[in-house]
Amino acid sequence: MDVLNALVAFLNFVFIPGLSYGAQIALGALGVTLIYGILRFSNFAHGDTMAFGAMITILVTWWMQSVGISFGPLPTALLALPVAIVATAAFVLATDRVVYRFYRQKKASSTIVVIVSLGVMFVMNGIIRLIIGVDEQNFTDGARFVVNPQEFKAYTGLAEPLAIKTTQAVTVITAFAVVALLFWFLQKTRTGKSMRAFSDNEDLALLSGINPDRVVAVTWIIAAGLATIAGTLYGLDKSFKPFTYFQLLLPIFSAAIVGGLGNPLGAIAGGFVIAFSEVMVTNAWKKIVTYLVPESMAPDSLLQLLSTDYKFAVSFTILIIVLLFMPTGLFKGKSV
């Protein structure tokens, strides 16, 4: 029974949180790698694009809740997502036309465009804080658990109750559905094939008659959709605070680079590598180990390698190691 209790504790504190966090990071990294692979620059404003999309979702969710619209046991934010995706896509397309298009026409170096994206990031962050403020916002509703811990404990007789939050289940299911849809789009549709050709060889793609403006617009729309979904899922699972999304840039870029910048499959793998690394290093293993060892050998300390305050240090360390020894990442993306 103690082994089963240890397994349930592992699921509660490591596997399930790592799986949901990894799905959120993977979606964010997908947007980063898509922009890098096609538009050829690292978009430092992607974290704030996630925050902008989540903000629109929150505002629409609040309106729906005020008029009595809900989604039953599921979060009402899922109903607000389509509106947020459209609004965020319109915002990033406007940003591209006003800002990035000029530098694209001038054929500016990627370094200059990266610096420009930093400016866009600060502007977006200011807009978000002006509209929704700087305080933490909680917009989760519906059923709290898919697997209720008290019911699980009563049914199984285990000392450790299994708890699977609705937001965690929604995160994983939504992320897998979005990834499957994205890969189908890139592999099977004419527009997706044009985007892949543009990414592989821009000059040859242009000679083949591919419309570059269309490819750019579709890329921004998809990246905005991924950012909005990732930002909303993260906000539902944790909470929404504008500055948090700026901090997420590090694990998101780490995931994209670890997997192979410019490689969508690598972005997904990198997201889960980063997420599980952070969770496992910052988790307090005392409870799990206590179930597995004799009472006389039970640890007194938390058995925690790093405090959760330092979880981004894990991402940074992995990023440095990959840049030093494997700059193309696990799936052989573009060298950085």
Side-chain angles (χ1 to χ4, degrees), residues 38 53 65-66 86 104 108-109 120 127 141 156 190 232 239-240 244 277 305 311-312 328 333 335-336:
I38 296 174
Q65 291 171 341
S66 70
V86 171
R104 197 162 53 246
S109 68
V120 172
I127 292 172
D141 57 1
T156 61
R190 185 173 180 178
T232 300
S239 63
F240 177 86
T244 302
S277 297
L305 293 177
K311 68 176 183 177
F312 292 130
T328 57
S335 181
V336 292

Side-chain angles (χ1 to χ4, degrees), residues 300-317:
D300 295 324
S301 66
L302 291 176
L303 297 182
Q304 186 179 29
L305 293 177
L306 283 177
S307 166
T308 53
D309 294 333
Y310 297 98
K311 68 176 183 177
F312 292 130
V314 179
S315 303
F316 186 72
T317 303

Side-chain angles (χ1 to χ4, degrees), residues 141-166:
D141 57 1
R144 186 178 180 187
F145 293 105
V146 173
V147 176
N148 187 285
Q150 298 305 321
E151 293 178 0
F152 178 87
K153 190 174 180 179
Y155 181 76
T156 61
L158 294 174
E160 190 69 28
L162 178 65
I164 301 178
K165 295 193 296 184
T166 302

Side-chain angles (χ1 to χ4, degrees), residues 159-175:
E160 190 69 28
L162 178 65
I164 301 178
K165 295 193 296 184
T166 302
T167 53
Q168 293 172 329
V170 166
T171 291
V172 174
I173 293 171
T174 303

